[in-house]
Amino acid sequence: MIADSEKYADEDKAIKEKIDAKNQFENYVYQMKNSVEDKDKLAEKLSDEDKSTIKDALTDAQDWLNANSDAEKDDFEDKLKEL
């Protein structure tokens, strides 16, 4: 019974870490979208070309996230670093 408990604790920890990594990635994409469009933040400080580049990268990241919602923790972390 204790062995089962420890086994499930490790699985639960891995699942939590995966969910946390996914949430961190989603939050970053959301925050960047808002920052790029907010006049008080980055909207007026960036050129149209830079905004377009950032928005394209964010759209690609969101598309990857939608297609890979069951990816592993390391995949989410790698994509976040890449973005």
Side-chain angles (χ1 to χ4, degrees), residues 22 25-26 59-70 76:
K22 180 181 177 186
F25 185 56
E26 288 176 326
T59 299
D60 290 345
Q62 187 65 53
D63 290 345
W64 180 88
L65 186 59
N66 292 339
N68 298 286
S69 62
D70 60 345
F76 291 120

Side-chain angles (χ1 to χ4, degrees), residues 32-83:
M32 284 304 297
K33 281 184 180 180
N34 287 336
S35 294
V36 169
E37 295 173 1
D38 189 342
K39 291 181 182 180
D40 294 332
K41 294 183 180 175
L42 293 175
E44 294 183 0
K45 297 176 184 175
L46 296 172
S47 69
D48 289 339
E49 183 179 330
D50 288 343
K51 281 186 212 176
S52 177
T53 301
I54 293 169
K55 286 181 181 181
D56 288 347
L58 294 171
T59 299
D60 290 345
Q62 187 65 53
D63 290 345
W64 180 88
L65 186 59
N66 292 339
N68 298 286
S69 62
D70 60 345
E72 294 300 318
K73 173 189 167 212
D74 293 338
D75 296 331
F76 291 120
E77 291 172 346
D78 291 344
K79 285 304 239 184
L80 178 60
K81 288 177 186 176
E82 181 182 316
L83 182 60

